[in-house]
Amino acid sequence: NEMIGALVLLGLMDSHGVETIVHSLDRLSSLLALIMRQADQYRDLELAVRERTAELQATRDRLEEQHAFLSTLLSSLPNPVFVQDVHGRILRCNDAFSDLVGTPEHELVGEHESRLRAAFVLEPAKSADPGMEEFECRAVDGCMRRMLASRAQFHTNQGQLAGFINVLTDVTDLAAARLEAEASSRAKSEFLAN
């Protein structure tokens, strides 16, 4: 302001020029205030993005830990286990299942379960438990095995059926012992009847 006053006194600037400068300075100060507000907003936005990125990374780390835990759990189970979607495609399996069918997991994933049934399941058998299915199969080693299959559903977060977890239990020895006990019981009954 002192410099503008000096220019007017010296006759180098008239009052119209002063008004133009003052008006321009007012517009510039409004523009500068807007720029400062936007800079604050960008700073806040940048901080929010950094915080959200850290939250997402922490969530990803937790998910990776859970995945590693579940993979270890699945692979350590001694029973053959396979997971399939609602369309019958295999999503995962453990080493025990791969060993039983003689096919590595990476070749089984995406395959329809019917591919296995055609070569693997030879004779369905009745089971007293509706959640269980009993069948005989020829394992990769050529031996006939009697298996008990239990199946559990799993669902999406929205509650829709996503697929099934199948756990197989080899009951060959138990079935043979049951047949032997039944034969022994019949022989005993026949002996006592005579």
Side-chain angles (χ1 to χ4, degrees), residues 93-108:
C93 69
N94 67 354
D95 293 340
F97 184 79
S98 290
D99 293 344
L100 180 68
V101 300
T103 306
E105 180 182 16
H106 71 272
E107 289 180 24
L108 291 169

Side-chain angles (χ1 to χ4, degrees), residues 48-151:
V49 166
R50 261 191 259 130
E51 288 172 357
R52 184 66 181 141
T53 300
E55 289 171 8
L56 290 173
Q57 184 61 47
T59 300
R60 180 181 177 173
D61 292 345
R62 282 192 305 276
L63 286 173
E64 286 176 357
E65 287 172 7
Q66 288 176 356
H67 182 266
F69 170 77
L70 291 174
S71 291
T72 302
L73 178 66
L74 182 64
S75 67
S76 67
L77 294 173
N79 287 46
V81 177
F82 69 101
V83 180
Q84 64 189 125
D85 66 14
V86 293
H87 305 291
R89 288 185 302 266
I90 296 173
L91 302 174
R92 292 285 312 260
C93 69
N94 67 354
D95 293 340
F97 184 79
S98 290
D99 293 344
L100 180 68
V101 300
T103 306
E105 180 182 16
H106 71 272
E107 289 180 24
L108 291 169
V109 170
E111 291 292 330
H112 195 274
E113 129 183 82
S114 63
R115 174 181 166 242
L116 292 176
R117 289 198 179 267
F120 180 66
V121 177
L122 301 177
E123 178 194 328
K126 291 189 177 184
S127 175
D129 185 345
M132 302 280 195
E133 178 184 345
E134 204 168 314
F135 60 89
E136 287 188 357
C137 66
R138 184 173 309 281
V140 72
D141 62 5
C143 294
M144 290 299 294
R145 307 304 298 168
R146 188 159 195 86
M147 304 298 284
L148 183 65
S150 60
R151 174 181 271 199

Side-chain angles (χ1 to χ4, degrees), residues 138-167:
R138 184 173 309 281
V140 72
D141 62 5
C143 294
M144 290 299 294
R145 307 304 298 168
R146 188 159 195 86
M147 304 298 284
L148 183 65
S150 60
R151 174 181 271 199
Q153 298 178 349
F154 68 96
H155 298 84
T156 65
N157 289 341
Q158 293 79 30
Q160 296 175 322
L161 179 63
F164 305 94
I165 301 169
N166 303 279
V167 180

Side-chain angles (χ1 to χ4, degrees), residues 36-48:
M36 295 302 288
R37 279 194 306 272
Q38 286 182 343
D40 288 342
Q41 289 173 347
Y42 287 131
R43 215 175 0 261
D44 293 345
L45 181 60
E46 185 179 337
L47 179 61

